[in-house]
Amino acid sequence: MSKEKAIEKLQAMADEPKDSLKKFLAKEILTHDEPLDFFSLVKKFGLETVYHYEDLDEEQMQEFYNTYSKEIIQLQEENKVEYNNDRDRSWFALERTTEKISKELDLER
């Protein structure tokens, strides 16, 4: 997919009317100077290096988990993994959502 088409698709994800992890992450990715570089940086250095979710205070993290808990738990069940705390569950969900968006944008080629 061309860079322009990928950015358009990412913007469409960010503009979806229904709130979701995908929408949340698309919005975050679009704040980067080079949004598509986000995916290669994540692949090379890991999500926690590129996106500083862990810098959120405890209240913000709990709000994030509460907002997306249904999706987070679903991703955990789909992947047959179990995490003992909300922070780890949330990180896992963000990582999986990043992978899904990357595949949808066909950035692997």
Side-chain angles (χ1 to χ4, degrees), residues 74-100:
Q74 181 180 351
L75 281 167
Q76 188 175 327
E77 289 172 355
E78 285 173 5
N79 289 273
K80 296 177 178 40
V81 295
E82 193 168 318
Y83 292 96
N84 296 325
N85 62 60
D86 296 346
R87 178 191 296 262
D88 291 345
R89 287 183 191 101
S90 297
W91 265 115
F92 175 77
L94 285 168
E95 289 170 349
R96 288 295 172 258
T97 303
T98 300
E99 290 171 11
K100 286 181 178 185

Side-chain angles (χ1 to χ4, degrees), residues 10 15 17-18 20-22 25 28 39 44 46 58 61 67 72 78-79 83 86 88 92 101 104-106 108:
L10 194 57
D15 292 340
K18 185 176 181 239
S20 67
L21 276 170
K22 187 191 295 186
L25 202 51
E28 291 290 319
F39 299 99
K44 187 172 184 178
E58 198 63 40
M61 287 184 353
T67 301
I72 291 169
E78 285 173 5
N79 289 273
Y83 292 96
D86 296 346
D88 291 345
F92 175 77
I101 292 172
E104 281 187 47
L105 299 178
D106 199 20
E108 297 300 315

Side-chain angles (χ1 to χ4, degrees), residues 16-106:
E16 287 189 4
K18 185 176 181 239
D19 198 21
S20 67
L21 276 170
K22 187 191 295 186
K23 178 179 180 172
F24 170 84
L25 202 51
K27 284 179 163 181
E28 291 290 319
I29 293 166
L30 286 167
T31 66
H32 287 258
D33 291 335
E34 294 293 330
L36 299 182
D37 289 348
F38 178 88
F39 299 99
S40 59
L41 290 170
V42 165
K43 195 170 193 169
K44 187 172 184 178
F45 300 110
L47 183 63
E48 60 280 347
T49 304
V50 180
Y51 179 65
H52 301 285
Y53 170 80
E54 62 190 9
D55 289 344
L56 300 177
D57 67 35
E58 198 63 40
E59 188 177 310
Q60 290 170 307
M61 287 184 353
Q62 194 59 51
E63 184 179 326
F64 175 86
Y65 181 78
N66 291 343
T67 301
Y68 302 107
S69 62
K70 189 173 180 179
E71 282 183 87
I72 291 169
I73 291 167
Q74 181 180 351
L75 281 167
Q76 188 175 327
E77 289 172 355
E78 285 173 5
N79 289 273
K80 296 177 178 40
V81 295
E82 193 168 318
Y83 292 96
N84 296 325
N85 62 60
D86 296 346
R87 178 191 296 262
D88 291 345
R89 287 183 191 101
S90 297
W91 265 115
F92 175 77
L94 285 168
E95 289 170 349
R96 288 295 172 258
T97 303
T98 300
E99 290 171 11
K100 286 181 178 185
I101 292 172
S102 179
K103 285 180 182 160
E104 281 187 47
L105 299 178
D106 199 20

